[in-house]
Amino acid sequence: MAPSAASTVTSAPRAPKTGKTIRVNAVDDKPDELELERDPLEIKYKDFFWTYTEEPHRTRRLEIIKAHPEVTKLCGPEPLTKYVVLLVVSIQVLCAWLLRDTAFFSLRFWALAYVVGATANQNLFLAIHEISHNLAFRSPTANRLLAIFANLPIGIPYSASFRPYHLTHHKSLGVDGLDTDLPTALEAVFLDSIAGKAFFCTFQILFYALRPMTVYRVPFTWVSALNVGVQLSFDAVVLSALGVQSLKYFILSSFLAGSLHPLAGHFIAEHYVYSTVTPTQADPTNGIPVPETFSYYGPLNFLTYNVGLHNEHHDFPAVPWTRLHRLHDIAREFYADLPHHTSWTYVLWRFIFDETVGMRCRVKRKEGGRLVGQGAGAGTGKNKQPVEQWKDDELES
């Protein structure tokens, strides 16, 4: 790949670890390399970065705890979260009221939806993300209820299903068939062009909403039913009290939050591999893992629950947003050499126009990981593990 561009800072890699990173199409040139059995679409076209190495976050977490045991004191709920959620939900309801008689295709409607609405709903997306780790209250039930409340201005119920998919993403980072954050083979084939990537970035909220259901289904629980019931009731009240324009505002805000919006850059910035793969790393015989999680330390973290500190978050999912910077400062030597982004806006620009970055620039694993929130019989092969065999701390991470 090309040298690192301005949006990504790349440092020298840490000491090599055992394991091989494999890009399937590379076997044509080096028949001695191992080849994974892959989807025919992925074999026909250029493929993802495949690895046999363990995901890096568990290993680094143990190293950090050994070097800085005090970081465990950072774990636990953040009381401020519920007040931020209340504020942002109130702002969205106020904006919906202000636009109740405004034409949908007017500049005022779209400008407010883009500048305020999309920013607010992205904030609520990430509030639900934070709450999914039980970081607002000590009570799991209280967290589920707050997530349902945060869901209201988004217009479509999703908080209940997001949690099991997201916790599986943590437990199964990069695992094909489990991590629904990974692009599918069809996406990699049909969207890996400038036009395709522009389409993906414009409608990425729809991909993140619909893709998980095509990979596997999560159970419909009482929380799911409550999420749907409360959301539909809220939408009905909005239609009755404010009118259809206000509901359109909520839906448009959600769409724009996951479209060509600066804050939407975090979706791609977190795990897509940018220009940080050196020839040494690309050679699987060297056993050097390809970086697969990228942090961002810029000012937009203020609006997004510090989700930019993504390596820190994956290393310690139980550390709330208000303490991630403290975690970074305590364990700075573990994060100083990791590649990171300096601009989410430029992340989107490069993703669309840079030929070295695209849909296939993700690290994938064939085995490992586990489903979270599934009953007995969920998953296939080595990925199958009944819920009753899991520990509480795994379910509540």
Side-chain angles (χ1 to χ4, degrees):
M1 289 189 172
S4 177
S7 73
T8 309
V9 176
T10 308
S11 302
R14 296 176 73 99
K17 298 180 181 179
T18 58
K20 291 186 177 181
T21 300
I22 299 173
R23 197 158 193 169
V24 172
N25 285 37
V27 299
D28 296 336
D29 301 324
K30 299 180 180 180
D32 292 333
E33 291 181 7
L34 298 175
E35 180 173 9
L36 295 174
E37 183 180 350
R38 297 305 312 133
D39 187 305
L41 280 173
E42 294 180 337
I43 294 174
K44 183 177 180 180
Y45 295 86
K46 291 184 179 180
D47 205 46
F48 299 86
F49 290 107
W50 288 91
T51 182
Y52 286 147
T53 61
E54 181 186 43
E55 61 92 5
H57 300 289
R58 179 179 180 275
T59 301
R60 187 162 55 237
R61 175 166 59 249
L62 296 176
E63 292 175 351
I64 291 175
I65 291 174
K66 183 177 180 180
H68 304 284
E70 68 272 20
V71 298
T72 59
K73 297 179 181 179
L74 300 177
C75 299
E78 171 50 67
L80 181 61
T81 300
K82 58 182 175 289
Y83 300 113
V84 177
V85 169
L86 177 60
L87 173 63
V88 177
V89 169
S90 300
I91 290 173
Q92 281 295 76
V93 171
L94 173 61
C95 289
W97 177 79
L98 291 173
L99 293 177
R100 66 193 184 281
D101 297 320
T102 304
F104 179 76
F105 289 106
S106 66
L107 176 61
R108 181 189 180 202
F109 196 103
W110 280 73
L112 193 63
Y114 187 85
V115 176
V116 178
T119 302
N121 275 13
Q122 183 66 250
N123 179 274
L124 292 172
F125 291 161
L126 294 168
I128 292 171
H129 164 264
E130 185 79 6
I131 297 164
S132 73
H133 291 282
N134 288 337
L135 292 177
F137 299 98
R138 294 193 180 278
S139 163
T141 301
N143 282 286
R144 301 297 85 76
L145 296 177
L146 181 62
I148 291 172
F149 176 73
N151 198 148
L152 295 179
I154 293 170
I156 299 172
Y158 94 101
S159 67
S161 59
F162 170 80
R163 184 171 187 268
Y165 282 124
H166 180 68
L167 296 188
T168 298
H169 163 68
H170 274 265
K171 297 297 181 185
S172 310
L173 182 63
V175 178
D176 192 32
L178 289 182
D179 185 356
T180 57
D181 189 66
L182 293 166
T184 62
L186 285 173
E187 292 173 63
V189 169
F190 293 109
L191 298 179
D192 207 19
S193 63
I194 291 179
K197 291 187 291 182
F199 180 86
F200 175 78
C201 287
T202 302
F203 298 97
Q204 61 178 311
I205 192 66
L206 300 181
F207 285 91
Y208 283 108
L210 300 176
R211 181 197 297 146
M213 294 184 290
T214 68
V215 179
Y216 66 88
R217 301 291 181 89
V218 297
F220 192 83
T221 66
W222 71 267
V223 180
S224 307
L226 185 62
N227 186 195
V228 172
V230 169
Q231 188 64 56
L232 292 181
S233 300
F234 176 79
D235 291 349
V237 170
V238 169
L239 284 172
S240 175
L242 301 179
V244 68
Q245 298 302 89
S246 295
L247 186 59
K248 287 180 180 179
Y249 167 76
F250 288 143
I251 302 297
L252 180 61
S253 296
S254 296
F255 172 75
L256 294 175
S259 185
L260 297 175
H261 189 279
L263 297 188
H266 84 86
F267 289 122
I268 292 173
E270 290 164 359
H271 296 292
Y272 279 84
V273 180
Y274 273 60
S275 300
T276 57
V277 181
T278 66
T280 301
Q281 289 172 294
D283 185 348
T285 61
N286 292 319
I288 302 176
V290 174
E292 55 190 293
T293 304
F294 296 76
S295 287
Y296 158 80
Y297 301 107
L300 295 184
N301 279 307
F302 177 77
L303 301 171
T304 56
Y305 287 89
N306 286 324
V307 74
L309 281 74
H310 216 64
N311 269 300
E312 293 81 351
H313 168 64
H314 268 267
D315 289 352
F316 291 90
V319 173
W321 60 285
T322 53
R323 302 169 205 156
L324 287 173
H325 281 290
R326 205 180 318 165
L327 167 63
H328 177 89
D329 291 339
I330 291 173
R332 186 177 296 273
E333 71 272 22
F334 289 90
Y335 298 113
D337 292 339
L338 299 181
H340 60 274
H341 294 291
T342 59
S343 168
W344 279 341
T345 303
Y346 193 52
V347 161
L348 289 173
W349 178 269
R350 281 196 62 205
F351 184 81
I352 295 172
F353 294 106
D354 190 337
E355 293 183 354
T356 68
V357 181
M359 302 298 297
R360 298 184 307 268
C361 291
R362 290 293 298 264
V363 175
K364 277 193 175 186
R365 294 173 173 81
K366 179 64 177 175
E367 301 290 349
R370 65 184 67 194
L371 290 167
V372 175
Q374 301 291 297
T380 58
K382 295 182 180 179
N383 294 326
K384 183 187 296 184
Q385 179 151 354
V387 134
E388 58 266 23
Q389 296 181 13
W390 301 349
K391 299 178 182 178
D392 288 342
D393 62 341
E394 292 178 322
L395 286 169
E396 302 299 337
S397 63

